[in-house]
Amino acid sequence: MVRMIRESFAVVEPHAEEVAKFFYGMLFSLSPATREMFPANMEVQRSRLLRALVHVVQMVDRPDDLIPFLRQLGRDHRKFGVINVHYEAVGTALLSAVKKFAGTAWTPKVEMAWAEAYTLMARAMQEAADADNGPAYWHATVLEHQRVSWDLAVVRLQPDHPVNYRAGQYVSVETPQRKRLWRYYSPANAPREDGIIEFHIRSVDGGWVSRSVVGHTQAGDTWRIGPPMGRLSVDRTAGSDVLMVAGGTGVAPMHAIIDEMAQWGDNPRVHLFYGGRTREDLYDLDNLQRIATTNPWLTVVPVLESDPGVRGVEQGSLADVVTRYGAWEDRDVLVCGSPAMIRSTVSRMLVAGTPLDRIKYDPFTLD
């Protein structure tokens, strides 16, 4: 089943945009009520569908990773009002889209493999959603909007009830300026007693939500926050040291984890490579270096790709610099940044000899 799914998906993937358009067209035809769950502009939603498919196909033979991801996804979809009957329409639309673009690679056996795989996926999502007694989403009030630079803002919010996330996870958010345009962002702080959550949000080219957040969010705005997702975390009791690789605002979940670890005296060693194009991109570097001065288990290495005049930093891409230091085969590895940065870094680390099962990254962290 795994082989047939991957081989047929390899045929379909070059037509990714057309696949996504066909899928949503078929879904809205089969179940018109689902159209109201999505924004008028479907461009980002289509790219998110393909990222989800790629992620699932990559993990289809790793159920210990795939099932928790699907269960989180099922809980997250409660915020849309998804009910069990919608899963049948999604399955039909998905198989129809893959079939249309798979051509001669689509055979009865391949169809059976996709149908069985989707049945398992849908079951995991439905069971998790049915078992979740918590809210489908939380309301949160913006306390502070701090413009760090022309394209970067720090936003602090007070949820109406505590959001039970773990340091390193991400959540979906909806802002009043962009209704139904849910985006995934990672809290940059560990859970606090007062419940306040801090987000670091950079304006992305063409990003409807991120540009609105940076430019127009105001204190008093009410956001909606979806259930926590993601698998970036550090097990302090596991005995393994940690490598963190963060690009730009991908440092937010790393900062949250470090924030939590700093509450303890005894921690595994953490080596953080924090990268950007220019020094301005490393907006959180001073804070992280300040934490490192009082926590000897933490080492922070700044990396710049296009600013050779800056001293005290490593020069090059994160993928170049991290692998220059070695394979890190004895470390638990956490990677966060843009999809392109994650792809290049993970690929280079695998070539350098880093075991795949030591690397963790999340697929839904870009506007």
Side-chain angles (χ1 to χ4, degrees):
M1 183 179 76
V2 170
R3 179 182 57 79
M4 287 189 286
I5 288 174
R6 284 182 170 160
E7 288 179 354
S8 56
F9 187 74
V11 176
V12 169
E13 194 171 8
H15 310 284
E17 188 172 343
E18 295 93 334
V19 172
K21 288 179 180 178
F22 185 90
F23 166 80
Y24 281 110
M26 176 68 75
L27 175 62
F28 299 152
S29 175
L30 293 170
S31 181
T34 60
R35 184 64 186 89
E36 294 301 312
M37 300 176 184
F38 299 96
N41 187 315
M42 292 290 293
E43 182 178 350
V44 171
Q45 191 64 38
R46 287 195 292 266
S47 67
R48 185 173 294 160
L49 168 70
L50 268 299
R51 287 209 301 278
L53 275 177
V54 169
H55 195 64
V56 168
V57 170
Q58 287 174 339
M59 294 198 301
V60 72
D61 58 346
R62 294 157 53 193
D64 290 345
D65 291 327
L66 179 58
I67 297 303
F69 169 73
L70 293 172
R71 294 183 67 83
Q72 289 182 346
L73 209 57
R75 288 190 291 268
D76 183 59
H77 275 57
R78 294 171 62 230
K79 68 176 185 276
F80 296 117
V82 172
I83 56 177
N84 289 349
V85 69
H86 294 142
Y87 283 93
E88 182 178 348
V90 168
T92 300
L94 176 62
L95 266 66
S96 297
V98 176
K99 177 180 180 179
K100 178 176 175 62
F101 292 92
T104 57
W106 190 262
T107 66
K109 287 185 177 180
V110 170
E111 181 171 8
M112 184 176 295
W114 275 93
E116 289 178 359
Y118 178 75
T119 299
L120 295 172
M121 291 164 51
R123 183 181 302 143
M125 293 176 67
Q126 288 174 279
E127 289 176 350
D130 292 343
D132 194 342
N133 295 320
Y137 54 82
W138 291 259
H139 288 102
T141 303
V142 175
L143 300 178
E144 182 182 3
H145 175 268
Q146 178 186 356
R147 194 79 174 258
V148 177
S149 65
W150 70 271
D151 66 343
L152 179 69
V154 172
V155 182
R156 297 180 181 89
L157 299 102
Q158 178 72 69
D160 54 0
H161 294 93
V163 180
N164 297 318
Y165 70 95
R166 299 190 311 273
Q169 288 191 299
Y170 59 94
V171 296
S172 56
V173 304
E174 181 199 52
T175 69
Q177 292 84 6
R178 294 289 186 264
K179 294 287 188 180
R180 292 191 293 174
L181 288 173
W182 291 84
R183 294 295 184 268
Y184 293 105
Y185 295 118
S186 298
N189 61 293
R192 295 169 33 161
E193 287 187 10
D194 60 13
I196 291 175
I197 300 177
E198 177 177 303
F199 294 106
H200 300 172
I201 299 176
R202 187 180 297 279
S203 177
V204 177
D205 287 342
W208 284 39
V209 175
S210 62
R211 294 176 70 177
S212 173
V213 169
V214 172
H216 304 293
T217 291
Q218 298 180 6
D221 285 352
T222 299
W223 290 17
R224 290 200 293 172
I225 298 179
M229 300 179 65
R231 61 194 193 119
L232 294 185
S233 63
V234 170
D235 183 354
R236 296 178 52 257
T237 66
S240 298
D241 291 331
V242 180
L243 169 67
M244 296 180 175
V245 187
T249 53
V251 77
M254 310 303 186
H255 192 140
I257 294 171
I258 290 169
D259 182 30
E260 183 171 72
M261 294 176 70
Q263 300 172 25
W264 303 86
D266 185 24
N267 283 303
R269 289 181 301 160
V270 176
H271 216 106
L272 167 63
F273 288 86
Y274 177 26
R277 294 186 307 278
T278 66
R279 176 61 181 84
E280 187 179 60
D281 291 333
L282 306 187
Y283 66 93
D284 202 31
L285 180 60
D286 292 342
N287 292 329
L288 291 164
Q289 289 179 328
R290 206 160 25 243
I291 296 172
T293 59
T294 55
N295 293 276
W297 47 266
L298 175 62
T299 301
V300 180
V301 180
V303 179
L304 294 180
E305 195 166 350
S306 306
D307 206 344
V310 179
R311 295 183 177 180
V313 304
E314 293 279 1
Q315 298 290 341
S317 70
L318 278 165
D320 290 337
V321 174
V322 170
T323 53
R324 193 185 303 158
Y325 274 67
W328 305 93
E329 63 272 6
D330 59 341
R331 300 271 184 138
D332 289 335
V333 181
L334 310 182
V335 183
C336 190
S338 70
M341 171 263 172
I342 293 174
R343 281 195 300 270
S344 62
T345 302
V346 172
S347 296
R348 288 287 295 279
M349 293 194 73
L350 292 176
V351 171
T354 312
L356 177 60
D357 60 0
R358 302 300 294 266
I359 303 175
K360 292 182 181 178
Y361 61 92
D362 288 319
F364 291 134
T365 52
L366 188 67
D367 187 298

